[in-house]
Every structure is written in C-alpha cells, then in structure tokens.
C-alpha cells in the first residue's frame, strides 16, 4: 500500500478555502469538555494552514448521534475552546444541515486567516450511509483544498473522510493529510510495512475474535509476537491446558492452533504466558479489592480464573522487548483497571519506557493504560485511533489514508 501521501507541507493554501476534517469527538459532561487531547492534537495543522494564508473550514463528528441532531452533541463547546486556544474567533455555524445556506454564507464572507467550524457532520444523517454523494459534493463546494487530519475516523469511508476527496479532485483541487495523520502513517503504517528489526508485537485485550486478522498479519511481519490479556487463555486451552473459569473463545481454538503452527513454520517466536495471576471471581466493582495468587499457566484450578499475566511471564515479555528495535503494543495484559491486576500491564509498559526501540501504542485500552500509568511521555508514538489502528495492524487499506493524493 502506498503511504507516501501529500501533507500540508506539500500544498500551497494562500488565499484558498481549506476544508479540514478533524477528530473533535471529545468527551462532554454537562456541555463541558472533559478531555481536550483531540483538540490539542489538531492545533499544529490548523496553525500551519492559517500561517500560510488559508481560509480554514473545520468539520468533525461528535458522538454516535443515534436519535437525530441534538444540542448535547453539538460542536459549540469545541468552537469555544478552539477560539481560546487559537487566540482568534472561530465562527461556529450551528446549522443542523451542516452545509446549508448559513455555512455557504459564512465561507463566502471569509478572509485569509479566518476560521469557520461546521456543525457535527453526523447531524446530516447521510455521513455514514452509501447515499453520502450529495453531502460529499456540498462539502467539496465549500472548499478549494481538502485536508484529512482525523486518523480516528480514517477507517470509515464516510462523506467527510473519503467521499469529499473525489469531488474536490474532480474540480482540480488537492487532497492532503494533516500532521496528525502524517505521524500515524509514519509510525504505525511504516512500523508494520517496513519495520526496523528485531520487530516485537504485543497483543492483549479480551477476545481472540477482535484480533484474528491482526494476529495473522503481524505473524508475517514481526520477529516475535507476544500474547497476553484475556485472549491468551484461548491459546493456552488450545495447547491442552486446564484454564478453569478463565475467558475462552471455544470457536477459536482451532484458529489458535493454526497460528501456533504458522509461527513455527515461519520461524517466528510466539510467546504465551508461562504463569498467570488468578482469583476466584472477576472483581466487582472492577477496581475493588481482590485476593489473588500466581500459578503456572498449566496449573490453573478448575474453580479459578486468570485475570493477569504472572511475574515470570512479565519478566519473559520484558526480556523480549529489551533486544527489540521496533515494538508495537495493542491491548492490556490483564484487568488493568484494578490496581492488583494491573501489574502485568505495568511491567510491559515499563519495559517499553526503558527501551531505546521505537515504541508505538496502538490506541484503545493500551493507550488508556500508558496514559493512566504515567508512561505516555516515554513512548515514541501513541495512536489516536482505536479501530483505525487495529485495521492498520491488520494490513488493511484505510479509506481516509488512501483518499489523499500521492506525492
């Protein structure tokens, strides 16, 4: 897949109307933004386009919008914070139609260096459907150039992510990626397609089913594949071990056997837990006190369940990371939300923090874990997209990435 895409550094936007698809899907509580990470991540691209004399039109979705447009999912709070962060007024077009008369007029009145923010793209209803052609064209009508900087949405072929690019190109406009997208392509895309070796991939999380294609693809690309989290027990059961009440995906036992055979055939290391932290039941509440013990992976009693990797496994996994030059990690090693069951995830995070390798965290729970555990600033890159990161690791072509012009 070609990942050599035009970025905002390759285009001239002076005096031009630039539509930027951002990821402003921020958490809101009583109309207040509780985490500004995504707004901050968009600023470098917006500031670059303003500095170059562009008229910057921003768009994004927010929330799932299941029951039609509503003020609870309006982008108004984002416009307010953006105005403060950019030190200039962001003209928010509150129109639920997104690209209607109000938006057309606001864009027509723009001068170089002005910023307009359109309403939540999902308020249109056709953003996610196959009938998004009209919406794609209306978005393209507002601009001369299109920039995608929403990696978290880049695995969706939505009107504001992919559909709009064809319409912009058909009238002679350029389509580029922003700095945030570029960083994701450089780190995640190239780690998988062209890694510096040894390349170690660490996969955790609950279910094998969620990572089927990721396991298969990474086995072909990496030198060592480490499995932890709930899905490790399906692999252990496939080896014939007693796993007690641990999480298991009975339908994927043959798949796990195939993957173990594939690793052997390809000469790849596939590391599974050699010991595990067990308890009588899952913690309730999830962060409540819990009695645990550590046993060998083949000695889990029938009435107990594994909830984290054990101490010997944590050492084994940390050793594998020490010699790596590239490490990609997606998914925690156990129930990391519980302090007693976070030890395995902490050990892995610590080993990544201490290595000189390029360390890439593939979004989702593993990103939450390194942030929560205070290791974020020690990682080379933390992906902003959970689902998009997984699809990148599967080796899939992401519509939002592929839609940008090649250099």
């Amino acid at each position: 897949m070609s990942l050599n895409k035009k970025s905002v550094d390759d285009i001239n936007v002076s005096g031009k109307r630039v539509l930027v698809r951002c990821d402003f899907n921020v958490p809101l509580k009583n109309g207040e933004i509780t985490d500004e990470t995504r707004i901050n991540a968009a600023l470098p691209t917006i500031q670059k386009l303003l500095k170059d004399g562009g008229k910057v039109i921003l768009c994004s979705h927010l929330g799932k919008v299941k029951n039609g447009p509503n003020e609870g999912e309006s982008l108004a709070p984002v416009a307010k914070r953006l105005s403060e962060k950019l030190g200039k007024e962001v003209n928010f077009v509150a129109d639920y139609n997104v690209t209607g008369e109000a938006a057309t007029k606001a864009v027509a009145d723009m001068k170089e260096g002005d910023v307009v923010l359109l309403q939540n793209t999902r308020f249109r209803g056709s953003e996610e459907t196959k009938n998004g052609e009209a919406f794609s064209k209306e978005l393209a009508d507002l601009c001369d150039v299109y920039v995608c900087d929403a990696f978290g949405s880049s695995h969706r072929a939505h009107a504001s992510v992919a559909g709009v690019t064809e319409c912009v190109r058909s009238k002679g406009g350029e389509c580029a990626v922003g700095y945030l997208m570029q960083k994701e392509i450089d780190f995640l895309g190239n780690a998988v397609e062209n890694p510096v070796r040894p390349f170690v991939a660490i996969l955790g999380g609950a279910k094998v089913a969620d990572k089927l294609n990721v396991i298969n693809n990474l086995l072909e690309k990496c030198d060592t594949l480490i499995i932890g989290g709930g899905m490790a027990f399906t692999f252990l059961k496939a080896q014939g071990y007693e796993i007690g009440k641990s999480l298991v995906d009975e339908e994927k036992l043959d798949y796990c056997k195939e993957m173990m055979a594939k690793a052997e055939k390809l000469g790849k290391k596939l590391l599974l837990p050699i010991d595990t932290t067990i308890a009588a039941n899952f913690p309730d509440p999830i962060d409540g006190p819990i009695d645990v013990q550590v046993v060998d992976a083949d000695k889990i009693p029938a009435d107990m369940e594994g909830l984290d990797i054990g101490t010997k496994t944590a050492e084994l996994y940390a050793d594998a990371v020490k010699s790596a030059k590239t490490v990609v990690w997606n998914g925690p090693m156990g129930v990391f939300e519980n302090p007693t069951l976070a030890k395995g995830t902490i050990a892995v995070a610590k080993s990544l923090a201490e290595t000189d390798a390029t360390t890439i965290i593939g979004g989702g729970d593993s990103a939450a874990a390194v942030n929560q555990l205070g290791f974020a600033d020690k990682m080379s890159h933390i992906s902003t997209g959970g689902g998009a990161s997984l699809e990148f690791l599967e080796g899939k072509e992401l519509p939002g990435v592929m839609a940008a012009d090649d250099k």
Side-chain angles (χ1 to χ4, degrees), residues 83-400:
S83 298
E84 290 161 11
K85 288 178 180 289
L86 292 170
K88 62 162 61 207
E89 192 205 341
V90 171
N91 182 8
F92 178 55
V93 182
D95 178 11
Y96 285 180
N97 187 47
V98 187
T99 51
E101 216 174 290
T104 308
K105 184 178 183 323
V107 170
D109 292 343
M110 288 177 87
K111 298 180 180 63
E112 288 182 19
D114 281 355
V115 184
V116 162
L117 173 63
L118 303 178
Q119 184 54 282
N120 188 338
T121 53
R122 290 195 180 164
F123 281 6
R124 259 300 279 271
S126 53
E127 162 79 333
E128 303 165 67
T129 65
K130 294 280 185 281
N131 309 321
E133 289 92 345
F135 188 30
S136 298
K137 185 180 181 309
E138 286 165 35
L139 284 167
D141 285 345
L142 294 175
C143 69
D144 307 301
V145 177
Y146 172 78
V147 172
C148 187
D149 210 20
F151 180 72
S153 300
S154 65
H155 58 315
R156 313 265 188 222
H158 290 172
S160 66
V161 175
V164 61
T165 60
E166 293 166 29
C167 303
V168 169
R169 226 177 263 117
S170 70
K171 59 179 195 174
E174 293 179 287
C175 300
V177 295
Y179 288 134
L180 189 61
M181 282 279 282
Q182 186 62 55
K183 199 170 175 225
E184 297 279 6
I185 292 167
D186 290 346
F187 278 100
L188 255 183
N190 292 328
V192 178
E193 293 303 318
N194 192 20
V196 181
R197 296 187 183 279
F199 172 26
V200 174
I202 306 168
L203 291 178
K207 296 181 188 147
V208 174
D210 295 344
K211 308 258 166 88
L212 287 178
N213 298 332
V214 182
I215 295 167
N216 198 11
N217 187 46
L218 285 180
L219 262 183
E220 290 174 14
K221 313 275 186 184
C222 70
D223 302 295
T224 300
L225 179 60
I226 292 173
I227 304 277
M231 67 177 185
F233 298 105
T234 305
F235 277 90
L236 293 176
K237 186 163 184 183
Q239 284 184 313
Y241 293 175
E242 165 65 62
I243 59 163
K245 298 190 299 182
S246 307
L247 198 64
V248 65
D249 190 340
E250 298 284 356
E251 290 176 9
K252 298 292 178 281
L253 290 169
D254 286 343
Y255 173 83
C256 290
K257 287 175 188 166
E258 278 169 37
M259 290 303 109
M260 291 188 279
K262 181 174 180 170
E264 198 172 339
K265 188 179 167 201
L266 294 174
K268 305 295 176 79
K269 271 190 195 162
L270 177 61
L271 299 183
L272 295 167
I274 51 174
D275 62 348
T276 182
T277 301
I278 60 170
N281 294 297
F282 197 86
D284 181 22
I286 198 164
D287 57 353
I290 186 167
D291 290 327
V292 300
Q293 60 191 95
V294 178
V295 298
D296 287 347
D298 59 350
K299 307 262 186 331
I300 300 173
D303 60 345
M304 304 286 270
E305 65 181 302
L307 296 168
D308 190 16
I309 56 172
T311 38
K312 287 189 286 194
T313 304
E315 281 172 35
L316 174 74
Y317 291 2
D319 275 348
V321 168
K322 272 179 196 155
S323 57
K325 288 280 186 284
T326 306
V327 186
V328 171
W329 177 24
N330 184 286
M333 297 293 101
V335 187
F336 77 98
E337 299 90 343
N338 187 295
T340 311
L341 301 169
K343 289 179 181 160
T345 301
I346 291 170
V348 167
K350 198 163 176 293
S351 69
L352 264 69
E354 289 169 356
T355 180
D356 293 329
T358 298
T359 50
I360 299 151
I361 311 301
D365 279 344
S366 27
V370 293
N371 281 316
Q372 211 171 299
L373 301 169
F375 291 109
D377 60 340
K378 302 280 197 301
M379 304 301 160
S380 309
H381 179 62
I382 299 175
S383 179
T384 54
S389 311
L390 270 183
E391 292 199 12
F392 233 156
L393 295 178
E394 282 179 35
K396 279 189 183 173
E397 293 189 343
L398 307 189

